[in-house]
């Protein structure tokens, strides 16, 4: 879960405005069929999606969370709390409320709160290729280096006067830090160039995450154990490419991250239907990344 407001991304702490929860139903359960649906849709017209669930817990019309509160007028629209009830009322429920009694099913239609919710997509899962297309990356890197050299020549003249006032020890530390950060960031860019549309990298129990910076990495003491007492281990990371699909770009402030790294219980505790909170670490781009 993430807040859509850019102001929340100035929050201190490793998690920022994010919360991550784990739920692992057994394969045989009361919610989903045991076998996955066919990859190819059956022939014929696609069935219309249901306007309202016929069974199960009532869910908030705005966010989809548990909705114990309902509209006092129609007694059909469910909400998680008064804030989302008021939001939905202003966004259109006042016009459709009570129409069901007159035989109009539009009161059960779930509204689109695009200004509040992120858009939804299907995520395709494929194994990552172990080898890099070296030739294409080298050619691309060569062109990038030429462009970068020209830009650096322009910037060097303007920055030279500012550097003259710094002592040798400070300059050496700055150069070393910039070189290390640049190397890490270039490795990050080289890896994601293989799959530029990749939004999630999953590797539970294997190699660690692909970091975007050498700064703000968690140490073992920074990752709390699970409530059951077991250690948490790296499971997957959310890539910055996802931001391109979330409709969050703006001329002013916008939500942003370098990578979001999720750590989950090594023992996968909790076999029931409850949701268990896990740990997420937000790493931003370093000031040395270009």
């Amino acid at each position: 879960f993430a807040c859509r407001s850019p102001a929340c991304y100035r929050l201190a702490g490793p998690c920022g405005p994010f919360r991550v929860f784990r739920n692992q139903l057994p394969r045989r359960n009361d919610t989903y069929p045991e076998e996955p649906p066919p990859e190819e849709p059956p022939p014929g017209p696609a069935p219309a999606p249901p306007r309202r669930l016929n069974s199960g817990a009532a869910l908030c019309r705005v966010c989809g969370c548990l909705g114990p509160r309902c509209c006092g007028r129609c007694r059909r629209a469910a909400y998680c709390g008064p804030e989302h009830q008021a939001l939905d009322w202003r966004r259109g429920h006042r016009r459709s409320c009570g129409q069901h009694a007159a035989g109009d099913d539009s009161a059960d239609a779930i509204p689109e709160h695009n200004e509040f919710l992120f858009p939804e997509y299907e995520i395709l899962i494929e194994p990552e290729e172990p080898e890099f297309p070296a030739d294409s990356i080298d050619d691309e890197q060569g062109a990038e280096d030429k462009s970068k050299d020209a830009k650096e020549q322009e910037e060097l003249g303007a920055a030279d006067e500012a550097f003259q006032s710094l002592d040798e020890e400070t300059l050496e530390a700055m150069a070393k830090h910039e070189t290390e950060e640049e190397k890490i960031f270039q490795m990050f860019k080289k890896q994601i160039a293989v799959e530029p549309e990749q939004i999630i990298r999953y590797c539970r129990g294997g190699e660690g995450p692909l970091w975007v910076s050498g700064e703000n990495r968690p140490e073992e003491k920074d990752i709390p154990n699970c409530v059951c007492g077991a250690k948490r281990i790296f499971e997957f990371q959310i890539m910055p490419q996802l931001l391109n699909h979330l409709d969050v770009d703006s001329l002013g402030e916008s939500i942003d991250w370098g990578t979001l790294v999720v750590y989950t219980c090594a023992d996968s505790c909790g076999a029931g239907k409850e949701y268990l909170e896990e740990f997420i670490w937000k790493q931003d781009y370093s000031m040395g990344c270009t």
Side-chain angles (χ1 to χ4, degrees), residues 141-154:
Q141 189 67 42
E144 184 180 337
D145 288 343
K146 290 180 181 179
S147 174
K148 185 177 178 182
D149 289 342
K151 185 178 180 182
E152 284 180 350
Q153 289 298 326
E154 296 177 4

Side-chain angles (χ1 to χ4, degrees), residues 198-272:
Q198 186 184 57
I199 61 170
I200 292 178
R201 298 184 77 249
Y202 185 94
C203 190
R204 177 176 167 84
E207 61 183 77
L210 181 64
W211 296 108
V212 72
S213 168
E215 300 177 350
N216 190 31
R217 295 189 187 186
E219 299 179 7
E220 187 173 352
K221 63 180 177 61
D222 297 321
I223 304 171
N225 290 343
C226 180
V227 291
C228 73
K231 287 185 176 296
R232 285 191 172 101
I233 59 174
F234 166 65
E235 180 153 351
F236 67 92
Q237 68 183 114
I238 301 174
M239 310 297 285
Q241 293 90 300
L242 179 61
L243 292 165
N244 298 330
H245 303 284
L246 295 185
D247 299 337
V248 294
D249 293 334
S250 66
L251 295 178
E253 289 186 318
S254 179
I255 69 175
D256 194 21
W257 63 75
T259 188
L260 303 175
V261 184
V262 176
Y263 297 85
T264 60
C265 176
D267 292 344
S268 298
C269 67

Side-chain angles (χ1 to χ4, degrees), residues 41-51:
R51 291 184 176 271

Side-chain angles (χ1 to χ4, degrees), residues 64-225:
C65 294
L66 194 64
R69 187 186 186 96
C70 68
C71 174
R73 183 179 174 187
C74 67
R75 311 298 297 180
R76 299 180 64 83
Y79 303 99
C80 63
E83 294 84 1
H84 287 184
Q85 183 176 1
L87 175 66
D88 191 44
W89 181 261
R90 294 194 302 269
R91 297 295 180 180
H93 184 60
R94 69 169 72 189
R95 294 187 296 272
S96 61
C97 183
Q99 292 181 3
H100 184 80
D104 189 348
D105 289 338
S106 63
D108 291 336
I110 303 299
E112 292 185 0
H113 292 281
N114 294 329
E115 81 291 346
F116 181 81
L117 301 176
F118 293 116
E120 295 184 10
Y121 298 94
E122 178 185 4
I123 299 178
L124 302 179
I125 302 174
E126 296 178 350
E128 190 175 54
E129 294 294 334
E131 298 294 332
F132 299 119
D135 295 338
S136 62
I137 291 180
D138 290 342
D139 293 343
E140 184 179 326
Q141 189 67 42
E144 184 180 337
D145 288 343
K146 290 180 181 179
S147 174
K148 185 177 178 182
D149 289 342
K151 185 178 180 182
E152 284 180 350
Q153 289 298 326
E154 296 177 4
E155 295 174 347
L156 279 175
D160 187 56
E161 294 183 6
F163 285 145
Q164 293 295 332
S165 61
L166 299 177
D167 59 81
E168 184 176 342
E169 185 177 346
T170 303
L171 287 172
E172 185 68 27
M174 289 175 61
K176 182 178 180 182
H177 173 76
E178 192 170 308
T179 302
E180 291 174 351
E181 280 299 306
E182 186 70 19
K183 189 180 299 183
I184 293 171
F185 188 60
Q186 289 299 329
M187 183 176 295
F188 179 83
K189 291 202 301 183
K190 183 178 180 180
Q191 179 76 40
I192 66 175
V194 180
E195 294 290 346
E197 294 297 315
Q198 186 184 57
I199 61 170
I200 292 178
R201 298 184 77 249
Y202 185 94
C203 190
R204 177 176 167 84
E207 61 183 77
L210 181 64
W211 296 108
V212 72
S213 168
E215 300 177 350
N216 190 31
R217 295 189 187 186
E219 299 179 7
E220 187 173 352
K221 63 180 177 61
D222 297 321
I223 304 171
N225 290 343

